[in-house]
Amino acid sequence: QKEVEQDPGPLSVPEGAIVSLNCTYSNSAFQYFMWYRQYSRKGPELLMYTYSSGNKEDGRFTAQVDKSSKYISLFIRDSQPSDSATYLCAMSALRDDKIIFGKGTRLHILP
Amino acid sequence: ETGVTQSPTHLIKTRGQQVTLRCSSQSGHNTVSWYQQALGQGPQFIFQYYREEENGRGNFPPRFSGLQFPNYSSELNVNALELDDSALYLCASSLSTSGNEQFFGPGTRLTVL
């Protein structure tokens, strides 16, 4: 079993819809959880960063962490065509530890 | 504030050659990590440098080596290139005291023929 599992998609949704992206993980030591957005042929851009369980909101983005289920989610409200990208979940056990990434989910927002 | 920069943007090498990739950290950051991202995959951790010392290494062979300089810029060296080394190489910088918020550069795309 891989440490981090993420459905690669592609996921296509109409503009304005709510998008739900998810990852599961197997390592209970993970405490730091991140979501990155990566446009084609670019480096990943940090979107959300959370520590331990709970919710975090930033504009149209909400990150949720459920450590008991080893499950994290990213919600995008009022999705826009400019949100079309690959979304990578990532996590680490310690503050200055290596980050383990999921494979990424390709998201297409249809105008 | 200057972001993370990497050079070159693209590189084509042949099998068996050696390559050096360069990274300049974001201003004020003292930690740099290198990742390899194959097509359709998430980035894989190669190693991390903190204050010029290697501070963790992923599952990569010794022909992948690195350096960090006093100004916190960094190099990734790969010897004896193999076809499977073709990938996007990403550098990420962070400030060790601020948690694991790593900021990535645009990457160097390496093609090995």
Side-chain angles (χ1 to χ4, degrees), chain A residues 2 8 32 34 36 38 40-46 49 56 86 88-89 91-104, chain B residues 10 31 35 37 40-45 48 55 57-59 88 90 94-107 109:
Chain A
K2 285 199 152 194
Y32 296 88
M34 292 140 276
Y36 284 84
Q38 186 173 27
S40 182
R41 300 189 174 274
K42 301 289 186 184
E45 172 194 6
L46 181 63
Y49 176 87
K56 183 174 182 179
T86 295
L88 297 153
C89 65
M91 45 201 82
S92 67
L94 302 174
R95 193 179 67 179
D96 291 322
D97 201 3
K98 63 182 179 183
I99 295 178
I100 307 298
F101 283 85
K103 291 178 77 168
Chain B
H10 298 92
T31 303
Y35 294 82
Q37 186 176 24
Q41 303 294 317
Q44 277 199 291
F45 176 75
Q48 182 183 83
N55 185 43
R57 188 178 183 93
N59 190 25
L88 181 67
L90 295 160
S94 58
L95 181 57
S96 64
T97 57
S98 71
N100 217 343
E101 293 177 85
Q102 297 189 6
F103 297 87
F104 283 80
R109 184 160 299 279

Side-chain angles (χ1 to χ4, degrees), chain A residues 34-95:
Chain A
M34 292 140 276
W35 285 95
Y36 284 84
R37 177 174 63 194
Q38 186 173 27
Y39 292 111
S40 182
R41 300 189 174 274
K42 301 289 186 184
E45 172 194 6
L46 181 63
L47 279 178
M48 301 289 280
Y49 176 87
T50 55
Y51 169 71
S52 195
S53 283
N55 293 358
K56 183 174 182 179
E57 188 173 321
D58 184 1
R60 296 185 296 112
F61 299 91
T62 300
Q64 286 185 352
V65 175
D66 181 349
K67 290 187 69 179
S68 62
S69 302
K70 297 190 180 69
Y71 188 87
I72 69 171
S73 301
L74 178 71
F75 298 95
I76 307 174
R77 290 182 299 280
D78 188 24
S79 56
Q80 305 292 312
S82 59
D83 294 327
S84 297
T86 295
Y87 289 79
L88 297 153
C89 65
M91 45 201 82
S92 67
L94 302 174
R95 193 179 67 179

